[in-house]
Amino acid sequence: MSTTSTQRLYGPRFLRVDLPLGRAQPRPLRVIVSLIIAVILSIAACWALAAAAIVLMPSTAGYEHFRFTDYARLTIIGVVIAGVAWPIVTLLSTHAHRMYLLADIIVVLVSFAPDLWILRGGQPIPAVIVLMLMHVALGVITYPVMVYGAPQRR
């Protein structure tokens, strides 16, 4: 899509920051439904990863970060923040999926910091790798659910 003379872009061209400021917002009900779906799928993915880790590596049975309450709480917080970010990003660009994808990648990479910190503190390497995979799963699930489940209006 080419830039018309009436459409002004701000920042890097690939992000297409054109400040629609509400004209391209996804429908609120779709945002809420997509957010609920993203939370459910993300918790299910974390559960599956933790369960697989325990089956494949019995030494991780009882690992504190594989307790449902431990990862479910953090998963809900992270996915809700990501879900709320989607309509905010759509305020900045009529092609917000680009900016949201970049933010998704950056957030997943930054989310590795606590995992690396606990690894440095002596946590088992295989268990920490599974925690990192949980973070990747959240990004892989949340992005398409939000972008395609609550698409921007054109």
Side-chain angles (χ1 to χ4, degrees):
M1 178 182 261
S2 65
T3 305
T4 63
S5 60
T6 60
Q7 183 184 30
R8 180 167 174 159
L9 296 178
Y10 304 90
R13 192 178 249 332
F14 73 93
L15 291 179
R16 297 199 51 90
V17 177
D18 53 6
L19 302 176
L21 301 176
R23 294 186 310 271
Q25 292 291 126
R27 299 200 184 282
L29 181 60
R30 291 193 70 161
V31 170
I32 293 167
V33 170
S34 296
L35 180 54
I36 292 167
I37 292 168
V39 167
I40 291 168
L41 291 176
S42 295
I43 289 174
C46 289
W47 175 84
L49 285 166
I54 292 167
V55 168
L56 296 172
M57 300 172 286
S59 64
T60 61
Y63 183 59
E64 63 184 310
H65 297 297
F66 289 172
R67 287 190 310 236
F68 182 81
T69 54
D70 192 54
Y71 63 77
R73 179 176 28 92
L74 296 172
T75 297
I76 292 168
I77 292 168
V79 173
V80 167
I81 290 170
V84 169
W86 171 237
I88 292 171
V89 172
T90 63
L91 289 170
L92 304 175
S93 174
T94 53
H95 293 78
H97 64 280
R98 296 175 185 185
M99 190 181 307
Y100 196 61
L101 178 61
L102 180 61
D104 184 31
I105 293 167
I106 291 169
V107 167
V108 168
L109 292 174
V110 169
S111 74
F112 291 160
D115 299 328
L116 295 173
W117 181 259
I118 65 171
L119 181 63
R120 185 176 173 268
Q123 296 291 315
I125 293 172
V128 173
I129 290 171
V130 172
L131 293 176
M132 294 171 95
L133 288 173
M134 286 179 177
H135 292 187
V136 172
L138 300 185
V140 167
I141 290 167
T142 304
Y143 174 84
V145 169
M146 295 308 300
V147 170
Y148 298 112
Q152 276 189 291
R153 294 184 213 178
R154 296 281 175 209

